Amino acid sequence: MSTDDKNRAIAAAILPLVGGAGNISSVAHCMTRLRLGLRDRSLVRDEALKALPSVMGVVEDDTYQIVLGPGTVARVTPEFEALVAAGAAQAPAHSAEELADRGAALKAARKAKNATPFKLFLRKIANIFVPLIPALIGCGIIAGLNGLLVNLGLLPGVTPALAAIASGFMALIAVFVGYNTAKEFGGTPILGGAVAAIIVYAGVAKVEVFGQALSPGQGGVLGALGAAVLAVHVEKWCRRRVPESLDVLVTPTLTVLVSGLVTIYGLMFVAGEISQGIGDFADWLLENAGAGAGFLLGGLFLPLVMLGLHQALIPIHTTLIEQQGYTVLLPILAMAGAGQVGAAMAVYLKLPRNGSLRRTVKSALPAGFLGVGEPLIYGVSLPLGRPFVTACVGGAFGGGFIGLFTMLGDKVGSTAIGPSGWALFPLLDGDKGLGTTLAIYAGGLVVGYLVGFAATYFWGFSREMIEEFDVDTEAVAASAPVATGPGATGRDPEPEPEPAQA
């Protein structure tokens, strides 16, 4: 089977299990997940979906998210969109409306429960930066390759071209941030990009604000974000007040002019001070309290992910990359995944008779080593409860290890965001040479693996949990009597055991 046929088969297997084409209101994807908007959540067959070999897990938030893994999701999504479009064209004209009516109440209730204003705001911020991650990764790897060639004195005629390729995106990242910000906040994307482009225009060096000449790029991505949000508000104000006959001329002109002046004479300076403060604080924190800060960041990152609060870190990472060439926070946060891997290996050894759970661990571990933690989190540690906590302990010690070396003067950073685990090695950078940087990061992973394993093996299970989960589930299922009706056994069915408590 060709790669295209395989991806089409995966999409075709998923579609009927999520209610068919008529039940899909939106399709998108991030690094690892296919994100679906559903009209009627009750039509989804969760267990059948999780049983598909290509599905690593499912997560329910404001969208229904199917974990397919990096690379795979980017190839399956277009095939899925094509199937949805074809199914919608063949469906009766009234089917989508019927599904929408049936699912509207459920969808509204779920959103009212889960969507706090703060989380909605963070989700918007994430939607601005997540589409930029592939370019950050590609340019980051090229920058690392170029640095290696320069250090080795190889291909001197090629390295300037590689430097230009690696740096071009970062030089204009403010424009892309402005474009995505306007799109996310309901404005015209190109106007957001036009206002944000002012920040990186070389001519701003001739402008003085508060007695200081501006620098191209001052304010960075935070300035671009603020400028584009302002542009959206100005544009909406104009749309409400400018006559339709003049709208096409007046609205874009006033949007760019007003937002541009405020950006030049206010936002660039303020955002520049904030960006500089973020960089200085990150350096100070890790240089003076690196081990403790790394311990807290590595240990608390997974709970932040579960709460959706990790999205607030994305603009901070991007700001640090823009300022320093790398983010010192990501390698520390990546240790959370190492703790999960160690905990999963302990679960595998601790429950030798539970073949089903051991297969889940075996299938999810390769992705875990590469930094894709969702299958281990949602399929292994989180449902068990206590192993999730001990996995966080492993991440804390791994983060503390890297933070300790930062205190000693050996910074470890990543030139892009997105990858984690072993996949982060090509993106690593630091201030003491590539060999030292790689060794420190590898040491942090080993510490995370070992502490996560030990904490889970010795303290991750109570006696009751062992009795409940260390059973041959397949043998139990095979020996269970086959009932032909509600009263076929002559007695009421026994209640299911209560889930284990952390």
Side-chain angles (χ1 to χ4, degrees), residues 388-407:
F388 179 78
V389 177
T390 53
C392 292
V393 173
F397 275 89
F401 179 88
I402 293 182
L404 175 62
F405 277 91
T406 304
M407 284 182 66

Side-chain angles (χ1 to χ4, degrees), residues 70-238:
T72 301
V73 69
R75 292 168 172 80
V76 171
T77 300
E79 301 291 348
F80 189 85
E81 289 176 324
L83 291 176
V84 170
Q90 296 172 3
H94 62 275
S95 60
E97 295 178 1
E98 291 175 352
L99 286 171
D101 291 339
R102 286 161 51 191
L106 180 62
K107 185 175 181 181
R110 187 176 70 250
K111 284 195 172 185
K113 180 180 178 181
N114 296 330
T116 65
F118 183 61
K119 285 188 177 181
L120 290 175
F121 173 75
L122 290 182
R123 195 167 293 128
K124 284 182 177 290
I125 298 299
N127 291 341
I128 292 166
F129 288 93
V130 167
L132 308 180
I133 289 178
L136 285 168
I137 293 173
C139 294
I141 291 177
I142 294 171
L145 174 63
N146 184 62
L148 181 62
L149 293 175
V150 170
N151 291 335
L152 296 176
L154 300 176
L155 302 177
V158 177
T159 50
L162 292 178
I165 294 170
S167 303
F169 173 73
M170 288 306 302
L172 297 174
I173 189 172
V175 179
F176 296 100
V177 170
Y179 183 96
N180 286 348
T181 300
K183 180 180 179 181
E184 187 65 27
F185 281 86
T188 302
I190 198 64
L191 292 180
V195 175
I198 298 169
I199 293 174
V200 296
Y201 175 57
V204 297
K206 300 177 182 178
V207 180
E208 287 192 4
V209 178
F210 304 119
Q212 300 178 15
L214 293 175
S215 301
Q218 185 173 339
V221 295
L222 297 183
L225 196 156
V229 170
L230 175 62
V232 169
H233 286 288
V234 174
E235 179 186 0
K236 290 181 177 179
W237 185 90
C238 292

Side-chain angles (χ1 to χ4, degrees), residues 294-461:
F295 188 91
L296 289 175
L297 289 171
L300 295 177
F301 183 62
L302 286 180
L304 288 177
V305 172
M306 306 306 299
L307 295 173
L309 300 179
H310 66 296
Q311 296 167 341
L313 296 171
I314 297 177
I316 296 176
H317 287 311
T318 310
T319 298
L320 292 174
I321 293 171
E322 194 176 33
Q323 279 187 350
Q324 305 176 0
Y326 52 78
T327 168
V328 293
L329 298 180
L330 186 58
I332 292 175
L333 300 176
M335 296 301 106
Q340 284 291 329
V341 169
M345 290 190 287
V347 169
Y348 185 86
L349 294 180
K350 200 73 173 176
L351 304 177
R353 290 186 289 180
N354 193 324
S356 175
L357 187 57
R358 283 163 66 91
R359 277 196 302 273
T360 299
V361 172
K362 286 176 65 176
S363 64
L365 268 180
F369 279 114
L370 293 174
V372 182
E374 288 96 334
L376 291 177
I377 295 172
Y378 296 106
V380 181
S381 65
L382 191 60
L384 292 174
R386 194 179 294 184
F388 179 78
V389 177
T390 53
C392 292
V393 173
F397 275 89
F401 179 88
I402 293 182
L404 175 62
F405 277 91
T406 304
M407 284 182 66
L408 299 176
D410 296 315
K411 285 185 178 180
V412 177
S414 170
T415 57
I417 57 177
S420 183
W422 294 0
L424 197 61
F425 275 108
L427 297 169
L428 293 177
D429 197 1
D431 58 355
K432 291 296 178 64
L434 185 60
T436 301
T437 301
L438 294 177
I440 295 172
Y441 181 72
L445 287 176
V446 171
V447 170
Y449 296 152
L450 292 178
V451 175
F453 177 89
T456 304
Y457 192 87
F458 293 107
W459 298 287
F461 288 89

Side-chain angles (χ1 to χ4, degrees), residues 6-45:
K6 178 182 177 182
N7 296 327
R8 195 172 299 113
I10 294 173
I14 292 174
L15 184 58
L17 301 181
V18 292
N23 196 35
I24 307 300
S25 61
S26 66
V27 181
H29 74 88
C30 60
M31 290 291 295
T32 60
R33 305 176 187 181
L34 175 64
R35 297 170 179 258
L36 304 178
L38 302 176
R39 293 190 171 92
D40 189 345
R41 171 65 178 82
S42 65
L43 297 179
V44 178
R45 295 161 57 189

